[in-house]
Amino acid sequence: MNIEAVWFLLIGALFVLMALARRVIDRLPMTGAMVYLAVGFLIGPAGLGLLNLDLFDDRHVLRLITEAALPVSLFAIGMHLRAACGDPLWRLPLRLAAPAMLLTIALMAALGVLALGLAWGPAVLLAAALAPTDPVLANELRPLEAGDDEPLRFALSGEGGANDGAAFPFVVLGIALCNAGPEGLAHPWALAAEMTWGVAVAIAIGWLMGTLSERLIAMLRIRYGNALGLDEFLALGLIALCYGATLLAHGYGFLAVFCAGVALRQQELRATGGARNPREAVQDVTPAEQEESSQDPKLAHAHLAESMMAISVGLERFVELALMLIIGCVVSAYWREMLAWMPLLVSAALFVAVRPASVMLALAGSTLDARQRWMAGWLGIRGVGTFYYLMLAVEQAPQAVSGGLAPLLLAAIVGSVLVHGVTASPLLRWYCRGQPRSGPGRGPGSGPRSGPRTGP
C-alpha cells in the first residue's frame, strides 16, 4: 500500500469534510475537536495503525510540535480582548487565572496525595498540568469579535490565555519534587524568585514587543508606505520573536505571547480612541483599497490589528486539527489504562467538584450573577495545554509519568473534549437567550456583546 497516498487522501478528505459540515457541526452538540480526536484514534494503534506515536520514544518531537503550536492560539486570544487596561472587566480573567488556578492546584494535589496515594511530587505535577484551561479548543467561548465585552466570554478567554503560562512555574515545581523529592524545596526562596522572575519578565517582554511592533509597523505604513502586505509574516514573526526572547531571558513564553497580543490590541484601541469597533472600521474596505487603507492614519491601526488577528485565527484551525489528531493517536495507545477507576475519578473530581468550587470562591464578591459564575465553573476546558505539560513531564520527569500519570492526564483531556464539547453550545445558547442585546458605540472600550456588561 502507498502510505503517502493514503495520508494525502485522509487529510484531504478531513479538510473537505470539515469545510462542508462546519455549519452542521455548529448546530449539533459537538465540536470539530471531537471529530479530529476520533479520527486520530482511528488512525492510531487501536485502529488502522497508520500513525503509531509513542509517548516516550517520540517525546521530544511531540513536545516541540505542541510548544510551537500553542503560541498561535495564545496570541489570537490576546487580540480578541479589546478592553482598556483600566477597565474593571479585566479583574474577571485575573481572578480566574490566579486565585481559581491556585485553588485548583491545591485541591487536585491534595486529592492526589490523599485519595490516589501519590507522593507530593507527582501530585503537584498532576495538579499543575490539569490547572490551565485550554486556549485552542475553547473557540466557542471567546468574544464574538474584538470589542465584544460580554463578561463570561471575556473572563473565560482571558483565563485561557493567561493561565497556560501562569501554570508553568507549578509544573516546574512538580518536576523538581519528582526528581529530587523534598530536597527539591531545599532553597524555597530561590525557587520563588525564579518563578516570580519568569512571570515578570514574560509580561514585560510580551508587552514591550507587542507595543513597539504595532507602533513601528503603523508608523512605517502611515509615514513611508512601507511594511505593507504579508501580515501573516508579521504575525508569525512577532510570535516567534516574543517567545524566543522570553525563553532566552528565562521567562514563561506562553504568557509573553498572550501579553503581546493584548498589548498590540491596546495600541489599536488607544490609536482609534475606542469610539468605533475595529471590524466595522475596515469591513467596507475592498481588496483593491487595502493597501491604501493600510496607510490611512484613521484606519491603519485597526487594519493591522484585525488582519493579524484574522491570520492567527486561521492558523489556529490548522493547529487544532493537527494537535487533536496527535492526541487522538496517543490516546489510541492508552485507552485501556484510561478506563481504570483512577483516571475516571480524577476527571470527575476536576469537572464536577474542584473546578466549580475554585471558580465560585475566586469570583465571590464579583457582580457576576449566579448563572454566570456557574457557567464559568463548568466551562473549564482542558486540552492542548495539559498535553504540552504532559510531554514536558515525560522529558524531564519520565519516572513520574511512567508511574501512572499519563492515563490520568489523557483521560481528563478526552473527558473534557467530549463532555464540554457536548454541553458548551447548548449551554451558551441557553445563556445568551436570557441576555439582552445592545449595540456598539457605548464609549471607550465598548463593542457589540451578547449579554449584559457586568464588572467584578
Side-chain angles (χ1 to χ4, degrees), residues 201-448:
V201 77
I203 295 174
I205 290 177
W207 199 267
L208 183 66
M209 294 193 72
T211 299
L212 294 181
S213 296
E214 200 279 342
R215 289 183 179 180
L216 175 63
I217 297 168
M219 182 192 69
L220 290 174
R221 291 182 172 184
I222 294 170
R223 294 187 181 182
Y224 307 107
N226 292 330
L228 298 170
L230 298 181
D231 285 354
E232 58 271 23
F233 280 35
L234 293 173
L236 288 174
L238 175 58
I239 292 170
L241 286 170
C242 183
Y243 193 81
T246 306
L247 292 185
L248 286 176
H250 303 287
Y252 303 128
F254 291 154
L255 183 58
V257 172
F258 169 69
C259 290
V262 174
L264 199 150
R265 178 58 75 182
Q266 290 295 308
Q267 288 302 305
E268 177 272 318
L269 180 62
R270 188 175 293 109
T272 59
R276 188 178 184 189
N277 183 280
R279 185 177 179 182
E280 293 178 350
V282 300
Q283 68 180 359
D284 296 330
V285 177
T286 65
E289 298 171 333
Q290 282 191 0
E291 183 171 324
E292 181 181 351
S293 69
S294 297
Q295 302 174 63
D296 186 340
K298 296 181 180 180
L299 297 176
H301 297 275
H303 192 286
L304 174 62
E306 288 300 291
S307 176
M308 293 181 76
M309 186 178 77
I311 289 165
S312 300
V313 171
L315 291 172
E316 190 182 29
R317 295 192 182 101
F318 294 101
V319 166
E320 180 184 15
L321 183 148
L323 292 180
M324 291 312 297
L325 284 178
I326 289 173
I327 292 173
C329 289
V330 174
V331 167
S332 188
Y334 282 85
W335 67 274
R336 291 180 180 84
E337 294 92 330
M338 291 164 53
L339 294 178
W341 73 268
M342 283 180 59
L344 298 178
L345 172 64
V346 169
S347 299
L350 176 64
F351 301 155
V352 178
V354 173
R355 164 72 182 184
S358 299
V359 169
M360 288 296 184
L361 289 172
L363 293 178
S366 74
T367 54
L368 290 182
D369 59 36
R371 180 169 64 165
Q372 290 170 322
R373 292 196 296 271
W374 180 86
M375 289 277 289
W378 173 249
L379 294 174
I381 300 175
R382 267 63 181 178
V384 176
T386 297
F387 186 72
Y388 170 76
Y389 288 127
L390 169 60
M391 298 317 306
L392 189 67
V394 171
E395 279 195 318
Q396 299 187 14
Q399 74 283 359
V401 179
S402 61
L405 286 188
L408 305 182
L409 294 173
L410 291 172
I413 295 171
V414 174
S416 185
V417 169
L418 297 178
V419 174
H420 292 129
V422 168
T423 59
S425 293
L427 284 175
L428 285 173
R429 285 195 290 268
W430 166 76
Y431 169 73
C432 291
R433 279 199 298 269
Q435 305 295 345
R437 290 184 176 271
S438 61
R442 293 170 294 106
S446 65

